[in-house]
């Protein structure tokens, strides 16, 4: 047991060292594009990152865009830079690859070491073609992102792991890091800390994984861990939603960080004041969202200190004795003792607060936006994973449909995309869907502004 706690302490120290700020925070008006494979394409981590900016910086609009396509390697990504990624006009481009590049079944064959070396060399050769293109983007900041891991150690029924696959991925990540250093780009790694979290939790539960039921695709909890690690690399640890301390006896605000406290009144043993924060608490979804997902975003808090490090809305009140009922805008939030209030409570952990409910509306609007954006990524898959190699890129005509139908029976993925493509092939449909996203984003930046809240501590 002692060794286990020493391991946890070592892991925590590693996180502290490795996650000093290595990626600059996004700025107002930026267009941050995440280039990747299916983990990016169908995943939520970039959406969770944007939700942080939506709630923490309500007056700083920006765009975060999904640039993933399922099945892609660095070779495939390079082929679609001009037709897919560059038209998004990225001011910041996050680049992650390696899961598909590193190969699969042959790791359990006769020559796994040779196969891993072959896939590594192929991946680097393909990446170097992209690297050349990125050097010609003077107005785009490049961020290399080491991919989430392939989990070889989780115990899953009827799923034999591809042994040493993640070792090849780690070599690819190390090359990304070297490329970033050579080109004066930024770098952060998701692989090593997620492997550490997996192995740490598998000591208690061998079936635990952040990498999904196939060892590859993280569920929503894994995507929240990815978002947390990226935000940590951007330096947001310790950035409070708000931090307020009130001396009840003196009716005085001792501390008001990222917020304004005013109109402090004492009526008998009751205390009230006005509270205007500069941010909203980060809302954590408790429902599994997305195709095939089984876990909720909020489950990530069981394995990462997100609430303690990045989601603290602290209310501290000294000078009170006995128990007090907390009401915000006349909504009852809970009951705390004077001692608890003197130590401080985290309002961001209280989903009943009006500000948390306000943030939930932002979260749901962002989820609707994510769903629409996904339809564009499915459309992109048909273009760049099928039509491009048929010489029909963006043809969007009857000939394209004919060629698609001729290949349906031998391409299950294509068959699954047919219905979506036949709708999205119309310019009018895509324009309308873009307008839908614009409406949702505009609404988000309309309703995400904190408002003055009346806080009452009533003696009971």
């Amino acid at each position: 047991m002692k060794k286990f706690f020493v391991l946890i302490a070592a892991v925590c120290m590693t996180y502290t060292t490795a996650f000093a700020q290595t990626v600059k925070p996004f700025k107002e008006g930026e267009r941050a594009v995440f280039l990747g494979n299916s983990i990016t394409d169908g995943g939520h981590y970039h959406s969770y990152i944007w939700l942080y900016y939506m709630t923490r910086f309500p007056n700083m609009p920006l765009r975060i865009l999904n640039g993933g396509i399922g099945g892609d390697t660095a070779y495939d990504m390079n082929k679609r830079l001009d037709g897919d990624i560059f038209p998004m006009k990225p001011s910041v481009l996050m680049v992650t690859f390696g899961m598909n590049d590193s190969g699969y079944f042959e790791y359990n064959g006769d020559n796994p070491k040779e196969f891993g070396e072959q896939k590594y060399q192929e991946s680097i050769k393909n990446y170097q073609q992209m690297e050349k293109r990125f050097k010609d983007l003077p107005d785009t900041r490049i961020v290399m992102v080491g991919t989430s891991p392939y989990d070889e150690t989780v115990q899953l029924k009827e799923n034999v792991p591809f042994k040493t696959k993640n070792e090849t991925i780690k070599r690819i990540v190390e090359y990304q890091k070297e490329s970033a250093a050579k080109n004066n780009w930024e770098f952060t790694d998701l692989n090593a800390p997620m492997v550490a979290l997996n192995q740490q939790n598998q000591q208690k539960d061998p079936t635990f994984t952040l990498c999904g039921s196939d060892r590859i695709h993280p569920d929503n909890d894994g995507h929240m861990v990815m978002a947390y690690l990226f935000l940590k690399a951007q330096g947001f640890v310790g950035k409070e939603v708000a931090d307020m301390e009130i001396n009840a006896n003196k009716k005085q605000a001792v501390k008001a960080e990222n917020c304004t406290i005013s109109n402090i009144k004492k009526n008998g043993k009751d205390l009230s004041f006005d509270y205007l924060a500069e941010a909203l608490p980060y809302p954590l979804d408790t429902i599994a969202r997305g195709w095939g997902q089984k876990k909720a975003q909020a489950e990530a808090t069981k394995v990462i200190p997100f609430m303690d490090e990045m989601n603290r809305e602290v209310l501290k009140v000294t000078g009170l004795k006995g128990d007090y009922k907390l009401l915000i805008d006349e909504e009852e939030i809970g009951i705390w003792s004077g001692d608890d209030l003197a130590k401080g409570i985290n309002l961001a952990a209280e989903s009943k607060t009006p500000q948390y409910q306000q943030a939930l509306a932002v979260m749901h609007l962002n989820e609707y936006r994510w769903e629409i954006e996904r339809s564009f990524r499915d459309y992109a898959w048909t273009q760049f994973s099928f039509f491009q190699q048929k010489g029909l890129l963006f043809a969007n005509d009857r000939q394209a449909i004919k060629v698609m139908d001729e290949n349906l029976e031998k391409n299950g993925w294509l068959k699954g995309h047919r219905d979506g493509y036949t709708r999205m092939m119309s310019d009018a449909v895509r324009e309308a869907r873009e307008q839908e996203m614009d409406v949702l984003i505009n609404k988000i930046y309309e309703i995400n502004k904190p408002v003055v809240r009346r806080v009452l501590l009533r003696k009971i």
Side-chain angles (χ1 to χ4, degrees), residues 16-216:
T16 302
T17 302
F19 278 92
Q21 182 180 325
T22 59
V23 179
K24 297 174 185 176
F26 302 136
K27 298 177 182 178
E28 182 174 356
E30 284 201 307
R31 297 176 63 83
V33 177
F34 283 79
L35 171 62
N37 49 41
S38 58
I39 296 168
T40 300
D41 178 359
H44 270 85
Y45 72 96
H46 36 76
S47 182
Y48 294 158
I49 292 168
W50 196 1
L51 182 59
Y52 179 88
Y53 277 85
M54 289 170 175
T55 51
R56 193 56 53 91
F57 305 105
N59 295 301
M60 193 186 81
L62 54 85
R63 291 286 182 111
I64 293 181
L65 299 101
N66 181 346
I69 286 186
D72 264 14
T73 63
Y75 174 80
D76 302 308
M77 293 176 194
N78 187 53
K79 287 199 305 178
R80 64 182 172 90
L81 289 177
D82 289 312
D84 185 26
I85 299 303
F86 295 163
M88 295 183 187
K89 300 178 181 179
S91 58
V92 189
L93 180 61
M94 274 56 62
V95 181
T96 181
F97 61 97
M99 185 61 71
N100 299 312
D101 307 71
S102 52
Y104 292 99
F105 296 97
E106 289 85 347
Y107 286 102
N108 291 343
D110 296 332
N111 299 298
K113 186 174 181 180
E114 290 83 351
F115 176 72
E117 179 63 24
Q118 173 195 338
K119 299 307 291 184
Y120 170 76
Q121 295 296 340
E122 286 178 7
S123 176
I124 299 313
K125 180 180 178 181
N126 293 330
Y127 163 69
Q128 287 170 344
Q129 298 303 308
M130 282 204 298
E131 184 183 40
K132 291 178 183 177
R133 302 296 310 279
F134 297 152
K135 290 178 180 180
D136 294 331
L137 300 174
D139 299 324
T140 302
R141 184 158 57 90
I142 304 297
V143 181
M144 288 288 139
V145 180
T147 182
S148 58
Y150 175 82
D151 189 351
E152 299 175 21
T153 55
V154 60
Q155 294 184 18
L156 298 175
K157 292 182 180 179
E158 300 178 358
N159 188 312
V160 177
F162 302 125
K163 291 295 185 181
T164 72
K165 172 178 169 62
N166 200 58
E167 293 304 310
T168 303
I169 292 176
K170 285 162 62 176
R171 292 182 66 195
I172 293 171
V173 172
E174 185 60 29
Y175 191 91
Q176 283 182 277
K177 183 178 180 180
E178 293 170 2
S179 172
K182 178 180 66 177
N183 291 293
N184 198 29
W185 296 336
E186 295 160 76
F187 170 83
T188 189
D189 179 28
L190 306 179
N191 195 286
M194 291 182 74
V195 167
L197 284 169
N198 278 335
Q199 294 180 353
Q200 175 187 326
N201 285 276
Q202 285 162 10
Q203 292 189 40
K204 297 172 285 184
D205 177 8
T207 67
F208 175 90
T209 183
L210 292 169
C211 299
S213 58
D214 61 359
R215 306 177 183 269
I216 297 168

Side-chain angles (χ1 to χ4, degrees), residues 206-454:
T207 67
F208 175 90
T209 183
L210 292 169
C211 299
S213 58
D214 61 359
R215 306 177 183 269
I216 297 168
H217 296 93
D219 211 309
N220 290 310
D221 61 335
H223 277 278
M224 183 60 202
V225 170
M226 293 166 68
Y228 159 79
L229 293 171
F230 189 87
L231 292 166
K232 193 166 187 174
Q234 288 191 311
F236 289 119
V237 169
K239 305 295 184 183
E240 312 280 19
V241 177
D243 191 356
M244 50 187 149
E245 180 179 346
I246 296 171
N247 185 314
N249 294 326
K250 295 182 179 180
K251 294 185 292 184
Q252 183 179 45
V254 178
K255 180 190 291 186
E257 294 184 2
N258 213 44
C259 65
T260 301
I261 304 297
S262 60
N263 199 22
I264 302 174
K265 293 182 179 179
K266 202 166 184 185
N267 184 10
K269 294 183 178 181
D270 295 350
L271 179 74
S272 63
F273 58 91
D274 290 336
Y275 162 54
L276 175 60
E278 295 179 19
L280 295 177
Y282 187 96
L284 286 157
D285 204 343
T286 57
I287 305 297
R289 312 279 181 186
W291 183 79
Q293 301 300 284
K294 299 177 181 178
K295 297 181 180 180
Q297 175 193 17
E299 292 189 43
T301 59
K302 297 175 183 177
V303 297
I304 54 171
F306 176 75
M307 293 299 294
D308 288 336
E309 291 186 354
M310 296 186 197
N311 202 26
R312 284 174 53 80
E313 185 183 11
V314 180
L315 170 62
K316 184 176 182 180
V317 182
T318 59
L320 299 178
K321 295 181 180 180
D323 293 334
Y324 282 79
K325 181 184 294 185
L326 172 64
L327 299 97
I328 302 179
D329 292 348
E330 300 183 352
E331 290 287 333
E332 183 177 336
I333 310 305
I335 296 173
W336 285 270
S337 70
D339 289 341
D340 289 334
L341 291 165
K343 294 174 184 176
I345 60 174
N346 184 9
L347 294 178
E350 304 297 326
S351 61
K352 294 179 182 178
T353 70
Q355 58 268 34
Y356 194 96
Q357 293 298 310
Q358 182 183 354
L360 277 177
V362 173
M363 182 194 80
H364 288 304
L365 287 169
N366 188 43
E367 185 66 21
Y368 283 131
R369 178 207 59 80
W370 177 87
E371 291 172 1
I372 295 172
E373 187 178 42
R374 280 287 305 112
S375 68
F376 279 90
R377 299 322 300 163
D378 286 341
Y379 170 75
W381 184 93
T382 62
Q383 295 293 347
F384 296 99
S385 296
F386 179 71
F387 287 126
Q388 187 176 42
Q389 54 194 315
K390 298 293 184 181
L392 291 168
L393 186 64
F394 299 125
N396 293 339
D397 55 17
R398 293 307 306 169
Q399 177 63 21
I401 292 292
K402 179 182 177 182
V403 173
M404 173 181 270
D405 287 345
E406 290 171 350
N407 287 269
L408 291 183
E409 295 308 315
K410 54 187 176 184
N411 188 332
W413 290 106
L414 188 64
K415 193 172 185 178
H417 282 83
R418 188 190 189 283
D419 180 58
Y421 171 71
T422 56
R423 287 177 286 164
M424 293 291 285
M425 66 185 287
S426 167
D427 291 344
V429 172
R430 294 196 306 279
E431 288 171 8
R433 301 240 77 188
E434 287 279 7
Q435 290 168 8
E436 284 184 86
M437 283 198 290
D438 288 341
V439 167
L440 291 168
I441 293 167
N442 290 338
K443 178 59 69 172
I444 285 169
Y445 282 100
E446 175 187 324
I447 72 163
N448 70 340
K449 308 297 186 291
V451 298
V452 176
R453 305 290 182 185
R454 187 63 181 170

